[in-house]
Amino acid sequence: MASEGFDRRRFLQSTSLTSAAALAIQSAVQGADANSATPSIVERASPNAPHAFLTKADDFYLVARGEPKPHTLVDQALINARMTPESWRLEITADPYIEPPLITQSATIERSFTLSAGTAIDLPTLQEMGKKHAVKFIKMMQCLNLATPLGQGLWEGVPLRDVLRLCGKIQNVRRIYFWGFHNHDPKQIFKASVTYTQAMETAPGDLPVILAYKLNGEPISPLRGGPVRMIIPWAHGFKNVKWLNHLFITNDPRIPETYYQGNANNDPDGELKSAAYVDKGPENEKHRSGSDLTLSGHVVAGMSGVQRVEYWLRSVSGEARPLDDDAPELLRGPWNRCEILLAPNWATVLPEGTSPGELIGFDSATNQPKTWPLKYGFASWTVTLRDLKPGVYEFRARSVDRNDFAQPEPRPYRKNGNNLIQVRRFEVA
Ligand SMILES: Nc1nc2c(c(=O)[nH]1)N[C@H]1C(S)=C(S)[C@@H](COP(=O)(O)O)O[C@H]1N2
Ligand SMILES: [Mo]
């Protein structure tokens, strides 16, 4: 892929406005900058976005369980794990379990696909289905238990609903469980699920669940969960099961997914949250008084979208003490506007031969994204602070969603979706 050129226009700015005019409009809309004691927002001077829009497949931050990690297997062991394009197989089976009065009828499918019967689905079959059904979209990956995004990719694959249709008539089904390879120790199998509705139906314009076999236009490597990885657009990393090899159709909604287990208190039904994250600075960060300081970070659009990103700068003295996300001084701010960098130049970001209009979430007539940041995607934000007086400062950023909720609202419970407010401390001397 070519290196990225980011469009320097602001999101809110119509193309004919100068950035000074856009800034004036933004300030007027927000009404806070003028009477705030903190430095005002200025256009970023740096020509480069702080974060690559698409993360290279090898550069995602890795989260994988089990020993040995499946992606470290080589040669015959990789073949035995069915993790090469030739050896990959997908089984689809139905759960015969009943437990009256909770489950009076077990799930049934007309056709199952198994290794033992020699009917498991191979990669050429999935790719052939892709000629008719494949979709492409951009989605960021974020671990429920880590704040900052792991990476963002262009994922391509066949919707789960089209794969399930291979089973013919499906009856008495509440959930679709799925898991991936994890050596041969059943305790290490990484399992997640979606409801039958989530598998089969998608609101118009929304992103469907897919069995992905391409990332950024290339086959998915073992490191990133290939040959086939489940992609659940709205979900944190743990539903995006790597090394996928089994779909399990059940009428029992109580089978625990991996993220229910242990004492981490995770909520597997939480969805990605809108949030701004702050890039870390150097340790013992010090700056010269009078110089400009540019800060940046990621902004993630969860299901409620993003309206704007704001920062709060305060001078502090003494020990660094954590501040609750609902502390009165934090809520008071003042919070001022940051700049969300506009969509990149797609021609330099997308794999060769991919037109933006092909991606779900884009307008096929204009080749432009329908929302920005893209739903379940990230973009970069920046702000340049000027004329800082000597002192110690704390900088925080937050997103405000399209329903006017400021991060971490409306549900500040982290195990339902991590969107804590991050802080960066620095000294101006
Ligand atoms: N098979 C399998 N899939 C998995 C995991 C795993 O351990 N095994 N970890 C999950 C978790 S918790 C996260 S956050 C993401 C991380 O994806 P990445 O390593 O591609 O960044 O993968 C998910 N899929
Ligand atoms: Mo995770």
Side-chain angles (χ1 to χ4, degrees):
M1 244 173 294
S3 75
E4 297 190 11
F6 265 75
D7 192 325
R8 298 297 310 142
R9 292 170 297 159
R10 288 159 178 275
F11 176 50
L12 288 178
Q13 174 185 359
S14 87
T15 46
S16 61
L17 293 176
T18 64
S19 41
L23 188 64
I25 288 170
Q26 284 191 339
S27 301
V29 166
Q30 194 193 16
D33 291 8
N35 38 21
S36 116
T38 52
S40 62
I41 306 166
V42 295
E43 183 76 15
R44 248 184 97 238
S46 157
N48 296 316
H51 300 286
F53 189 75
L54 291 185
T55 311
K56 290 199 181 82
D58 291 352
D59 291 350
F60 280 60
Y61 189 89
L62 173 77
V63 181
R65 297 189 177 197
E67 286 306 332
K69 308 248 181 270
H71 68 267
T72 62
L73 301 176
V74 292
D75 303 331
Q76 194 58 41
L78 197 67
I79 296 169
N80 294 347
R82 300 192 178 282
M83 282 174 56
T84 63
E86 297 74 28
S87 63
W88 182 79
R89 294 291 183 280
L90 177 72
E91 293 189 290
I92 312 181
T93 58
D95 183 1
Y97 187 74
I98 53 169
E99 189 191 316
L102 289 173
I103 307 160
T104 56
Q105 288 156 299
S106 67
T108 59
I109 56 181
E110 272 181 299
R111 270 186 299 285
S112 58
F113 299 85
T114 62
L115 287 170
S116 58
T119 52
I121 295 162
D122 60 14
L123 192 58
T125 303
L126 189 68
Q127 286 165 333
E128 191 58 34
M129 291 178 73
K131 288 185 183 157
K132 191 160 172 215
H133 299 291
V135 297
K136 302 179 189 181
F137 54 75
I138 287 162
K139 172 206 163 38
M140 58 81 84
M141 203 61 74
Q142 183 180 15
C143 181
L144 178 63
N145 294 312
L146 301 169
T148 311
L150 306 173
Q152 174 157 269
L154 168 66
W155 304 94
E156 178 177 345
V158 177
L160 173 58
R161 60 171 160 261
D162 293 308
V163 176
L164 291 177
R165 284 200 181 107
L166 297 175
C167 299
K169 193 168 277 181
I170 300 181
Q171 284 175 304
N172 307 317
V173 50
R174 287 180 173 135
R175 291 195 86 89
I176 315 295
Y177 281 78
F178 42 90
W179 53 81
F181 176 79
H182 251 308
N183 50 57
H184 291 289
D185 174 1
K187 283 206 282 296
Q188 292 194 11
I189 293 173
F190 198 94
K191 231 185 281 176
S193 73
V194 291
T195 68
Y196 187 54
T197 303
Q198 288 171 330
M200 300 306 289
E201 292 175 55
T202 308
D206 242 344
L207 309 177
V209 174
I210 63 171
L211 280 70
Y213 49 77
K214 277 192 180 176
L215 168 58
N216 300 341
E218 305 282 338
I220 305 178
S221 65
L223 176 65
R224 258 322 45 80
V228 179
R229 176 176 192 167
M230 193 67 98
I231 293 294
I232 312 289
W234 60 84
H236 291 84
F238 65 88
K239 293 245 190 203
N240 295 261
V241 166
K242 296 185 272 198
W243 317 299
L244 181 75
N245 64 14
H246 204 121
L247 307 182
F248 189 63
I249 296 163
T250 182
N251 204 18
D252 184 355
R254 302 161 306 168
I255 304 175
E257 356 196 317
T258 300
Y259 254 50
Y260 266 122
Q261 292 159 350
N263 54 12
N265 217 18
N266 299 313
D267 173 7
D269 286 319
E271 300 190 8
L272 289 170
K273 305 305 175 196
S274 296
Y277 298 108
V278 182
D279 293 338
K280 290 195 178 70
E283 241 178 88
N284 301 317
E285 196 175 351
K286 281 203 180 77
H287 299 274
R288 207 162 32 82
S289 169
S291 60
D292 292 352
L293 176 56
T294 296
L295 294 106
S296 60
H298 292 94
V299 52
V300 175
M303 72 188 307
S304 54
V306 169
Q307 208 180 114
R308 59 181 186 272
V309 171
E310 303 176 330
Y311 74 92
W312 169 42
L313 183 73
R314 67 164 182 168
S315 66
V316 290
S317 54
E319 287 268 296
R321 261 181 294 124
L323 201 55
D324 286 340
D325 284 353
D326 59 355
E329 57 267 56
L330 181 145
L331 295 177
R332 221 168 24 238
W335 291 87
N336 292 312
R337 191 79 70 109
C338 299
E339 174 190 1
I340 297 177
L341 295 192
L342 196 64
N345 175 353
W346 297 110
T348 59
V349 169
L350 296 178
E352 239 175 78
T354 306
S355 150
E358 293 172 54
L359 313 190
I360 307 179
F362 285 68
D363 184 323
S364 56
T366 63
N367 274 334
Q368 291 305 311
K370 288 182 188 160
T371 58
W372 195 255
L374 290 165
K375 196 170 183 185
Y376 309 128
F378 68 57
S380 297
W381 61 263
T382 72
V383 65
T384 296
L385 309 175
R386 291 215 165 138
D387 303 327
L388 289 167
K389 308 282 172 284
V392 177
Y393 292 88
E394 282 184 357
F395 176 97
R396 287 174 171 79
R398 70 179 187 187
S399 67
V400 177
D401 76 10
R402 292 190 179 257
N403 296 319
D404 273 330
F405 285 111
Q407 179 185 344
E409 294 292 350
R411 37 93 268 164
Y413 172 57
R414 264 176 219 167
K415 292 318 220 138
N416 174 263
N418 204 340
N419 67 346
L420 78 173
I421 293 179
Q422 295 182 321
V423 59
R424 180 163 153 182
R425 217 169 207 259
F426 59 86
E427 191 178 333
V428 175

